[in-house]
Amino acid sequence: VSPAPADWDDTGLRPTLYRPLADAVATVLRRAPRLLSLTQDAAVGALAADRGTVQAILGSIADEPVEGCAMVVALILRQAPLAVPVLRQYVASLPDAAEKAVRLRALGRGVDQVLSQLESPSGAMEEIARAPLAVAGDDVRRLVAFLGEIGDDASSAAHRPRLKVMRERLDKVCRDRFADGLAEGLVQPLATASGALDGAGQTLLEGCARNLRSLEIVARTVGGAGGYDQLLHQATETVRMAAKAGTLTPVRTLRLVEILAGSEAAASLYRRARVKS
């Protein structure tokens, strides 16, 4: 067993913490390749966990320290928010009572670690608030999936008061991020344009509009529609005013309205324009 490094005191941690921490990290590193495969799945938008991968990650984990097991479970859940039932089903299927008890403790501590990280002022909520609009929607979707799985799990009933507070906080973060994205990516560029928008400018606006809708669709599942309809209406009115000012061509106007408010709103605007002409 390797001793603590010579500069361990610089960490500010007690000497007795070195061995448990090193053992826990080793538990994670022994499963790093398979954990990486979950990360790669998450990078392409997967929410569910591959059952075989999860089972391989948990293999022989009963021989590992509980804190290391909890770290592994937390990493699984961060990458695969729909893994809660997979984890529980796998643990329930274990024939050995002692091994099952170890993995149940690890599962409970892993869930608690993820929830504690979400409650942190510098945790995932703050990351969503600062995230580029292009990834904010996916980040919220993963978080909503995880909170939903925990909330629906009968074994996690004790966490429900925490989940309620988290959802309320997430609702506010989503609304603020949506309003900021709308102002920065759509309203301000159109309001400050000095002439007709070129193709590159239109591409940026359409990208922003798509990202706003991606965030809005999942954010409505957190706290309802209140406010989003009004903000989308504001965005549509901003586009119409830009069209009247000559900043947007009719085709570009219709395209933005279609993304922001749907094909029926775009068709209605087109019909009104045809009547006026």
Side-chain angles (χ1 to χ4, degrees):
V1 177
S2 61
D7 58 353
W8 178 255
D9 288 343
D10 295 343
T11 67
L13 299 174
R14 297 193 306 274
T16 55
L17 289 178
Y18 170 72
R19 186 75 265 149
L21 182 58
D23 290 343
V25 171
T27 301
V28 172
L29 293 178
R30 279 189 279 272
R31 292 156 179 81
R34 292 188 174 95
L35 287 168
L36 179 60
S37 72
L38 289 182
T39 302
Q40 292 168 338
D41 290 344
V44 295
L47 295 179
D50 178 76
R51 184 181 297 272
T53 300
V54 172
Q55 291 178 352
I57 291 172
L58 296 179
S60 72
I61 205 169
D63 299 327
E64 304 282 11
V66 172
E67 189 57 38
C69 297
M71 284 186 179
V72 169
V73 169
L75 288 169
I76 291 173
L77 293 176
R78 287 185 183 122
Q79 300 304 326
L82 300 186
V84 174
V86 177
L87 289 165
R88 291 207 179 277
Q89 289 165 14
Y90 181 59
V91 171
S93 70
L94 296 172
D96 185 82
E99 184 179 7
K100 183 182 295 187
V102 170
R103 298 193 190 190
L104 278 174
R105 286 199 302 273
L107 178 57
R109 292 181 67 168
V111 169
D112 188 68
Q113 283 184 15
V114 177
L115 293 177
S116 295
Q117 191 271 336
L118 293 177
E119 291 169 326
S120 168
S122 59
M125 302 279 190
E126 180 61 24
E127 290 176 5
I128 291 171
R130 299 193 314 266
L133 194 59
V135 301
D138 285 340
D139 289 348
V140 174
R141 188 171 293 106
R142 299 183 66 78
L143 184 48
V144 168
F146 172 72
L147 295 178
E149 288 295 329
I150 298 300
D152 292 340
D153 186 359
S155 301
S156 301
H159 293 308
R160 286 173 187 160
R162 297 172 72 185
L163 297 179
K164 181 177 183 296
V165 174
M166 289 181 201
R167 290 181 70 88
E168 291 171 352
R169 183 179 169 198
L170 180 59
D171 180 36
K172 183 179 186 308
V173 168
C174 288
R175 293 179 190 280
D176 290 346
R177 186 67 191 91
F178 185 91
D180 290 344
L182 175 61
E184 296 168 2
L186 197 74
V187 175
Q188 185 176 1
L190 286 175
T192 59
S194 57
L197 207 66
D198 59 14
Q202 177 72 11
T203 298
L204 290 175
L205 290 180
E206 289 186 12
C208 175
R210 291 190 189 92
N211 293 332
L212 285 170
R213 289 308 304 268
S214 176
L215 174 58
E216 169 252 340
I217 288 170
V218 67
R220 284 177 184 264
T221 68
V222 181
Y228 291 106
D229 290 335
Q230 181 179 352
L231 287 169
L232 286 171
H233 177 73
Q234 173 191 341
T236 303
E237 286 301 304
T238 299
V239 170
R240 291 181 58 213
M241 294 301 294
K244 288 182 179 180
T247 304
L248 296 170
T249 65
V251 171
R252 289 174 175 170
T253 301
L254 291 172
R255 182 62 185 143
L256 284 170
V257 171
E258 181 181 28
I259 296 171
L260 291 167
S263 57
E264 290 187 7
S268 176
L269 181 60
Y270 174 73
R271 287 192 296 268
R272 290 200 301 270
R274 287 289 301 272
V275 169
K276 290 180 180 179
S277 64

